[in-house]
Amino acid sequence: MRTISVSAPAQPVALALRESLKADLGITDDSQDSRLDDLLLDASGLVLDYIGRPILDSTWRDVIKIRGDEQRLSFMLGVYPVTKIMAFVPQGGAPLTPEQIADLDLMADSGIIYPPASGPAVWSPGQYVVTYQAGYTAPSRDKDGTPQPGTLPRAISGAVLLAAKASWHAADRDPLLRSESEQGTGSSSWSATAAGSGGLPQSAVDMLASYRSGGLR
């Protein structure tokens, strides 16, 4: 299967709100807003790289080929959750009408499509081309600057905040240092990173496990 982006390439976008990061850091003025925005963009890039698959809202086109010696009960689109199927062209046939598209058995959260109940129980061999809209919307601001949460799962935004906070503290101490004590001889504890995490804290990695490429749908 091939998944092609139909929309224009997305610009880098923060996957968490600045207000959330400021609250976590206890910042009450606007003097650090520019730096915080940069930290959120950098952390968002790390999280997207670690997830390893497209997750942001866009228009996509999948070309799905079923070999002549197989039949499938379902096939999975490359990006999910799916918000709308715009076009569906089966092998050797005319594009489905809007009514026929609405009759498809779609599991939107996982991007799995089963044949419509009114037709054959399996997808026959051939090539299918599906154009659809899928992905989460990132947090944003409306025209008057009011924050809008978007549809991104809390776990993903939370992982971005953890990574951004680690970067914020890096200027003053080890970014993986979680706590210190000056009593007696002193003590420290670290939040270890996992191998292959791209520098994300282990707690952020744990939050992203189910969203990675190849994860459970």
Side-chain angles (χ1 to χ4, degrees), residues 8 17 20 68 71 110 119-120 133 136 146 154 156 178 189-190 192 198:
L17 289 168
S20 299
Q71 292 181 328
S110 58
Q133 185 172 355
Y136 303 108
T146 303
R154 283 177 174 265
I156 296 178
R178 298 173 62 185
S189 64
W190 279 261

Side-chain angles (χ1 to χ4, degrees), residues 17-90:
L17 289 168
R18 183 203 306 146
E19 287 79 3
S20 299
L21 182 56
K22 291 174 73 170
D24 286 354
L25 293 172
I27 297 174
T28 57
D29 59 47
D30 300 334
S31 61
Q32 300 294 329
D33 281 4
S34 179
R35 181 186 175 196
L36 295 175
D37 287 343
D38 289 342
L39 291 177
L40 285 172
L41 283 175
D42 290 344
S44 298
L46 290 176
V47 165
L48 289 174
D49 287 345
Y50 182 72
I51 291 175
R53 66 176 181 86
I55 63 168
L56 294 178
D57 181 61
S58 189
T59 303
W60 310 89
R61 180 172 295 126
D62 283 8
V63 180
I64 303 162
K65 296 182 179 180
I66 301 178
R67 298 195 311 265
D69 59 348
E70 67 173 340
Q71 292 181 328
R72 295 188 192 176
L73 294 174
S74 66
F75 52 69
M76 295 185 294
L77 298 177
V79 184
Y80 54 93
V82 177
T83 54
K84 182 179 181 181
I85 294 180
M86 301 170 175
F88 190 107
V89 183

Side-chain angles (χ1 to χ4, degrees), residues 75-153:
F75 52 69
M76 295 185 294
L77 298 177
V79 184
Y80 54 93
V82 177
T83 54
K84 182 179 181 181
I85 294 180
M86 301 170 175
F88 190 107
V89 183
Q91 169 67 19
L96 299 189
T97 66
E99 292 75 19
Q100 290 172 319
I101 290 175
D103 195 36
L104 293 172
D105 189 357
L106 168 67
M107 299 179 65
D109 287 344
S110 58
I112 298 174
I113 303 180
Y114 295 93
S118 58
V122 296
W123 294 113
S124 301
Q127 175 174 287
Y128 298 80
V129 180
V130 186
T131 304
Y132 59 103
Q133 185 172 355
Y136 303 108
T137 56
S140 61
R141 287 178 173 79
D142 58 22
K143 292 182 179 180
D144 64 5
T146 303
Q148 301 297 325
T151 62
L152 204 68

